[in-house]
Amino acid sequence: MTQRITLYADEGRILTDGEHFGKVVTLSAGGDPSRWYEVSEEEYRERVAKIET
Amino acid sequence: MTMADKLTDIAKNMQKVYDAGYAAGAETGGGGTGSYDEGYADGKRDEYGAFWDVYQDCGNRQDYQTAFRGVGWTADTFRPTYDIATTGFVTSLFRGSRIAVDLVKHLNELGVTLDLSQSRGVVEAFMDSQFTRIGSVDVSSAASLQNLFNGAMAETIDELILKNDGTNTFSNTFSGCTALKNLTIKGVIGQNGFNVSACKELSRASIESIVAALSDEAGTEEVALEAFSSIVSGNGSDVTVTHEGDGVFKINGTDTVGDWFYIMEHFELGAGTYRMDATDSSKGLSMPFFVFTNDGISIEMLPLKEQGKESGSVTFTVPEGGGYMELLLETNSETFNNDIVTLKLIQYKEGASFSVTLSETAVESAFTDEEWTALKATKPNWNFVLA
């Protein structure tokens, strides 16, 4: 059996590992959940806008 | 005749004079038989042909950087007369163009083709374009796919053909592609950054295509399969199984009793997640596969490969403290003639992180929770981010 960890962001928050963003993140087998942290939606929008310019 | 009478006659004959002059002019002008409009159109066609001869170097142009970039390019102006098959760069090829048609149909009507398969640089090629459908886009010779379709309005990209070694890189490749519904991926996605979260209407088949293209090798390393015990028949048939090294087995002889062979016994494994792949040229073998903890407790018993199939694969996890695996070959009363079985053991590297980002809306529309969980489980080395 392969064990997988799924992280869910709290209401109004977005998960990120610094590179990717999402409300729901399913880690790869053996993936490290400590790499993921929450940011506010405002910070998320700012970061995405920065990436895309 | 008075001056007033002369003026009256001139006025009456003016049309005759014009007609006679027009006829003489047409005759001395080359004897054209068509109307002025037809002649104008002929001239325009010649001019148009001359433009494309120059613009496409009579079909020899190799470098199409920014060739059809900008609002001046529409379905009326984008009418190439030669195939576009480039070995050079096509950076910003259609960026910001206003060619709001089905590109495949449009090119078919013009009788020309678009082939980017030899292009070394395709960055921004379809960025902010207005095609409703983009056909097959072969980027297997390019490295970066940055902004390739960023802001494109297409509903369908028939095929995106990637390199088979998974080395294409992605950065905002599909950003803003809000209309995209249909996308088929060929080749391998082997890098971070593949993000179709903007595509909220992406179809189930498209999502399945993306997941299927995710590299099975990203974040993995192969485990050498060397430690085998001697291989003996379990039921005393005439079949012989020999280990040729590196997980390759050769099988010969005839089985009349339904035989079995331990080809891997107590192969020790550290904690972690693994995938075992098997192929069987005879297709006739069954391969039951067992995983145990070190204290002998069975974790899993899996059919690595079933009879009648040429290949099979199982993914399993060995818990802290380690364990071991055992593998049987079961013959089913067949004759073997130098048939080959290959085994490959892959370990997913601890903490390896490869991510693909999809639209939460699209996934929830296309899959039940159970279906999505099952689909994700086919790629245990990838993080699936729903945004």
Side-chain angles (χ1 to χ4, degrees):
Chain A
M1 182 184 295
T2 303
Q3 293 180 339
R4 307 289 293 271
I5 298 171
T6 299
L7 306 175
Y8 297 90
D10 286 342
E11 190 67 31
R13 312 280 283 174
I14 302 290
L15 287 160
T16 182
D17 62 350
E19 187 177 4
H20 304 91
F21 300 88
K23 290 182 187 172
V24 184
V25 176
T26 303
L27 299 183
S28 57
D32 181 3
S34 68
R35 296 177 61 251
W36 295 83
Y37 54 95
E38 286 182 323
V39 295
S40 67
E41 287 188 347
E42 187 182 0
E43 187 177 351
Y44 159 68
R45 281 192 291 273
E46 281 176 10
R47 288 199 193 194
V48 170
K50 201 173 174 183
I51 289 170
E52 295 196 345
T53 50
Chain B
M1 186 178 284
T2 65
M3 185 58 71
D5 292 337
K6 285 180 181 173
L7 286 171
T8 303
D9 275 358
I10 288 169
K12 282 178 183 172
N13 290 326
M14 192 169 283
Q15 185 59 44
K16 289 179 184 171
V17 171
Y18 172 84
D19 290 345
Y22 184 92
E27 196 171 337
T28 56
T33 55
S35 67
Y36 168 81
D37 288 341
E38 286 169 341
Y40 179 83
D42 283 343
K44 198 174 173 185
R45 269 194 294 277
D46 287 346
E47 198 174 330
Y48 161 83
F51 168 78
W52 287 103
D53 284 349
V54 173
Y55 204 62
Q56 294 191 274
D57 192 15
C58 294
N60 295 316
R61 183 170 178 176
Q62 293 297 313
D63 189 332
Y64 274 84
Q65 278 193 82
T66 70
F68 310 113
R69 177 178 178 169
V71 297
W73 289 104
T74 66
D76 291 332
T77 56
F78 176 63
R79 304 186 68 79
T81 54
Y82 298 95
D83 290 343
I84 301 169
T86 166
T87 59
F89 286 77
V90 291
T91 311
S92 296
L93 176 66
F94 293 110
R95 183 175 174 179
S97 61
R98 295 292 181 268
I99 312 166
V101 296
D102 177 331
L103 180 57
V104 177
K105 196 174 166 193
H106 188 68
L107 292 177
N108 280 343
E109 285 169 0
L110 295 172
V112 299
T113 58
L114 173 66
D115 177 7
L116 305 184
S117 64
Q118 303 303 311
S119 293
R120 286 168 287 130
V122 298
V123 167
E124 299 176 357
F126 293 91
M127 188 173 180
D128 294 327
S129 63
Q130 294 192 350
F131 298 113
T132 56
R133 174 189 170 204
I134 297 170
S136 179
V137 180
D138 187 334
V139 293
S140 57
S141 295
S144 171
L145 307 189
Q146 185 175 2
N147 291 322
L148 178 59
F149 300 106
N150 190 341
M153 295 171 71
E155 281 189 16
T156 298
I157 298 170
D158 290 358
E159 289 178 337
L160 177 62
I161 303 174
L162 305 172
K163 291 170 181 277
N164 284 322
D165 63 3
T167 56
N168 288 113
T169 60
F170 308 95
S171 176
N172 296 313
T173 305
F174 295 96
S175 295
C177 291
T178 52
L180 188 62
K181 293 178 181 172
N182 306 300
L183 169 68
T184 300
I185 303 287
K186 292 192 171 175
V188 175
I189 300 169
Q191 306 289 320
N192 275 318
F194 192 96
N195 185 337
V196 285
S197 61
C199 315
K200 291 182 170 54
E201 295 185 65
L202 207 56
S203 70
R204 178 185 172 108
S206 303
I207 294 169
E208 288 173 337
S209 170
I210 291 167
V211 174
L214 297 174
S215 168
D216 290 320
E217 312 307 327
T220 67
E221 60 187 20
E222 190 169 349
V223 179
L225 291 172
E226 291 297 336
F228 290 89
S229 60
S230 58
I231 301 169
V232 294
S233 163
N235 262 357
S237 73
D238 291 334
V239 175
T240 58
V241 178
T242 54
H243 183 212
E244 308 285 300
D246 294 329
V248 177
F249 299 83
K250 191 175 282 183
I251 307 174
N252 278 297
T254 300
D255 170 34
T256 55
V257 293
D259 211 348
W260 54 269
F261 302 81
Y262 255 121
I263 63 169
M264 190 184 298
E265 189 175 15
H266 211 94
F267 186 89
E268 293 187 359
L269 296 165
T273 302
Y274 298 84
R275 190 186 77 240
M276 177 74 98
D277 298 328
T279 65
D280 165 23
S281 67
S282 77
K283 298 186 183 177
L285 297 161
S286 309
M287 297 187 193
F289 180 71
F290 305 88
V291 182
F292 298 88
T293 59
N294 272 336
D295 53 9
I297 297 171
S298 174
I299 306 170
E300 289 188 87
M301 184 174 67
L302 301 160
L304 172 57
K305 196 203 72 70
E306 297 168 4
Q307 188 186 13
K309 294 185 176 175
E310 195 165 358
S311 64
S313 183
V314 293
T315 301
F316 58 96
T317 299
V318 176
E320 291 300 323
Y324 61 92
M325 59 185 181
E326 300 197 339
L327 178 59
L328 270 70
L329 289 188
E330 288 182 349
T331 60
N332 297 279
S333 301
E334 292 129 328
T335 296
F336 300 92
N337 183 17
N338 284 327
D339 282 301
I340 298 291
V341 166
T342 63
L343 300 177
K344 187 177 177 184
L345 181 63
I346 296 291
Q347 182 173 14
Y348 295 108
K349 284 189 270 186
E350 191 70 23
S353 175
F354 285 82
S355 294
V356 58
T357 307
L358 299 130
S359 159
E360 186 175 24
T361 306
V363 169
E364 286 183 351
S365 301
F367 298 91
T368 64
D369 288 348
E370 292 75 20
E371 288 172 336
W372 179 237
T373 299
L375 188 60
K376 285 191 297 186
T378 63
K379 302 290 176 178
N381 51 331
W382 285 82
N383 291 325
F384 288 86
V385 181
L386 302 186

